[in-house]
Amino acid sequence: MTGAASGPLFRDPVHDGAADPVAVWNRQAREWWLVYTSRRVTAPGPGVAWVHGTHLGVAASGDGGRTWTYRGTLDVPDPEWGHNTFWAPEIIWHDGLYHMYVSWIRGVPDAWTGLAEIRHYTSSDLLVWTYHGALDLNSDRVIDACVLPLPGGGFRMWFKDETHGSVTYAADSPDLYQWRPAGPAVTHRPHEGPNVFELGGTHWMIVDEWRGQGVLRSDDLERWEYQGLILDTPGSRPDDGGFGYHADVVVQGETAYVFYFTHPDRTPESDEADYAHRRSSLQVAALRVTAGRLTCDRDEPVELGLAPES
């Protein structure tokens, strides 16, 4: 079944703070899932406590991504006691298992501080998760993992390192369990949320610059050429105002679909404590390669009919 995706694509009906989505094909349920950071928009407390203490929300689609239903939150085991923070999951399928690399912050900080790790979990069904530990990435403030198989074998992870300029660093692994830091990858300006994919015979990276998504191109996954911004001007669909933040990309054929979140009511003058300033919505748009550049028209109707993945 196909049809134009709605705008917004999804709003969390409990906390209304869906952010940082990853799209994954659920092979057992035969449906697409969006797993996302469920920000606590109405949470009391000082500062940015509302963006911490978060769980991973799940929205499911049985019609190829055209419509989505809230299903609750993932039951992710936490070896530490108390109320901790889960952010920005990356989930990939490999050799019969889902591998999740999720940002974890101790407790519920009211400022952008504290220990931040990327933790590794596996599951056969996206429901029951086994914890494998935190990755040693030579930093005590790392978040926002993205993982891709390398053409010559093994895997590369890109992530934000907040102790080294809040730019993208990389690590390599032969098996998704053991990771070796590989140093800085993209350093043109501070950013977060790297996402790497292949489209039109080229590798692309988009990064959240908090003013839209920065676009970089690479022929070898080593050297990255900056090409400007997408999702930097507001769209006209409901809840698609403002910038497009922290995104995930699903490639199918010659088209890629970018899933991102917006703060549709946020303005430079809005109060950070207000509901309107905090709430967020998930959206989707099509990406294409045009004359060697990655392009995106937020106002183009998206006939979303995501096919199953093997």
Side-chain angles (χ1 to χ4, degrees):
M1 179 184 296
T2 61
S6 63
L9 186 69
F10 178 76
R11 289 176 66 176
D12 183 304
V14 177
H15 296 294
D16 209 10
D20 314 330
V22 61
V24 58
W25 172 245
N26 186 321
R27 288 156 176 81
Q28 288 69 32
R30 306 295 295 175
E31 59 191 13
W32 281 91
W33 278 17
L34 288 172
V35 185
Y36 58 89
T37 307
S38 183
R39 290 179 172 178
R40 303 178 305 133
V41 170
T42 59
V48 291
W50 66 279
V51 303
H52 294 99
T54 48
H55 297 291
L56 301 180
V58 177
S61 175
D63 58 10
R66 187 170 57 88
T67 60
W68 297 86
T69 301
Y70 178 72
R71 294 299 309 275
T73 58
L74 292 185
D75 184 11
V76 181
D78 189 345
E80 293 210 18
W81 71 276
H83 189 170
N84 298 308
T85 300
F86 288 84
W87 276 353
E90 164 71 320
I91 302 175
I92 69 167
W93 171 261
H94 176 71
D95 197 22
L97 284 175
Y98 299 97
H99 292 258
M100 177 166 67
Y101 301 90
V102 64
S103 308
W104 181 91
I105 294 95
R106 178 174 289 129
V108 186
D110 61 12
W112 303 102
T113 57
L115 174 71
E117 302 175 332
I118 294 174
R119 295 190 163 191
H120 181 204
Y121 294 82
T122 58
S123 174
S124 62
D125 60 3
L126 292 174
L127 295 176
V128 179
W129 293 92
T130 299
Y131 177 57
H132 297 282
L135 307 189
D136 182 1
L137 298 172
N138 289 343
S139 173
D140 61 4
R141 285 198 59 81
V142 290
I143 61 173
D144 297 352
C146 169
V147 177
L148 197 74
L150 293 172
F155 302 86
R156 179 158 297 167
M157 174 184 292
W158 294 267
F159 56 92
K160 178 188 180 184
D161 189 335
E162 294 184 326
T163 64
H164 295 97
S166 289
V167 296
T168 294
Y169 272 57
D172 291 334
S173 173
D175 58 5
L176 293 172
Y177 293 89
Q178 303 299 317
W179 292 90
R180 176 180 57 82
V186 173
T187 61
H188 65 288
R189 60 169 286 148
H191 58 267
E192 63 188 12
N195 193 272
V196 180
F197 56 97
E198 185 177 0
L199 183 66
T202 299
H203 282 101
W204 303 91
M205 181 189 295
I206 57 174
V207 296
D208 186 356
E209 298 187 6
W210 313 296
R211 57 174 188 164
Q213 296 288 312
V215 176
L216 301 104
R217 174 178 174 163
S218 177
D219 294 324
D220 59 6
L221 294 174
E222 298 287 347
R223 294 172 293 275
W224 293 93
E225 174 193 358
Y226 187 71
Q227 290 199 331
L229 295 167
I230 60 172
L231 301 179
D232 54 322
T233 58
S236 62
R237 296 177 299 172
D239 271 14
D240 202 26
F243 302 127
Y245 295 96
H246 194 127
D248 186 45
V249 176
V250 174
V251 178
Q252 299 212 321
E254 296 303 312
T255 302
Y257 300 96
V258 57
F259 295 86
Y260 59 98
F261 79 94
T262 64
H263 286 294
D265 300 326
R266 180 175 289 187
T267 68
E269 296 77 29
S270 59
D271 188 329
E272 292 188 7
D274 289 347
Y275 187 95
H277 181 92
R278 294 178 173 185
R279 82 170 184 93
S280 55
S281 295
L282 301 187
Q283 300 279 7
V284 67
L287 300 178
R288 294 184 177 85
V289 177
T290 306
R293 300 187 71 86
L294 191 69
T295 62
C296 179
D297 178 0
R298 288 171 76 164
D299 291 337
E300 175 191 350
V302 180
E303 296 291 327
L304 198 59
L306 298 175
E309 292 187 345
S310 58

